């Protein structure tokens, strides 16, 4: 219990030593007020045209960042499966139209 209390005090004293920069606050506010968003005409650039670099992803996420190899490989497989699907399902396809009785 004492160890946890001493860590808490250390965290608070560290926070107190951080200098407040008002320009940083203005930059953050500006980021939220005026986000950099893509127009719908430029959305075509977001399509992936080539397969992901599996070995590069595994090297970066598993070896360099310590992620679980099993989870990364499952994520890569899910990404590959998703990339094979060309068209997103439309919302109206989940509803059936009833024929009117009149």
């Amino acid at each position: 219990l004492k160890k946890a209390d001493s860590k808490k005090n250390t965290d608070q004293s560290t926070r107190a030593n951080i200098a407040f920069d008002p320009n940083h606050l203005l930059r953050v506010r500006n980021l939220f007020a005026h986000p950099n968003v893509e127009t719908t005409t430029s959305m075509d650039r977001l399509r992936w045209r080539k397969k992901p670099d599996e070995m590069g992803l595994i090297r970066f996420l598993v070896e360099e960042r310590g992620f679980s190899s099993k989870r990364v490989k499952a994520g890569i497989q899910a990404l590959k499966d998703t990339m094979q699907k060309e068209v997103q399902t439309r919302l109206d396809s989940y509803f059936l139209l009833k024929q009117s009785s009149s």
Side-chain angles (χ1 to χ4, degrees), residues 26-57:
L26 292 174
R27 287 192 307 265
V28 171
R29 281 185 180 166
N30 189 40
L31 176 68
F32 281 95
H34 308 287
N36 182 12
V37 291
E38 292 289 332
T39 62
T40 55
T41 56
S42 65
M43 293 300 280
D44 189 47
R45 292 185 304 167
L46 296 177
R47 289 202 174 145
W48 287 17
R49 303 203 189 296
K50 59 182 181 177
K51 295 179 181 178
D53 178 11
E54 294 180 44
M55 295 310 297
L57 284 170

Side-chain angles (χ1 to χ4, degrees), residues 66-98:
F67 282 75
S68 164
S69 175
K70 184 177 179 181
R71 294 185 73 185
V72 169
K73 288 177 182 177
I76 290 171
Q77 186 60 45
L79 177 62
K80 287 168 48 178
D81 292 346
T82 302
M83 288 178 70
Q84 289 177 354
K85 297 177 185 176
E86 185 63 34
V87 179
Q88 183 176 0
T89 305
R90 292 176 48 104
L91 185 60
D92 61 356
S93 68
Y94 291 98
F95 302 99
L96 299 175
L97 294 176
K98 286 187 175 181

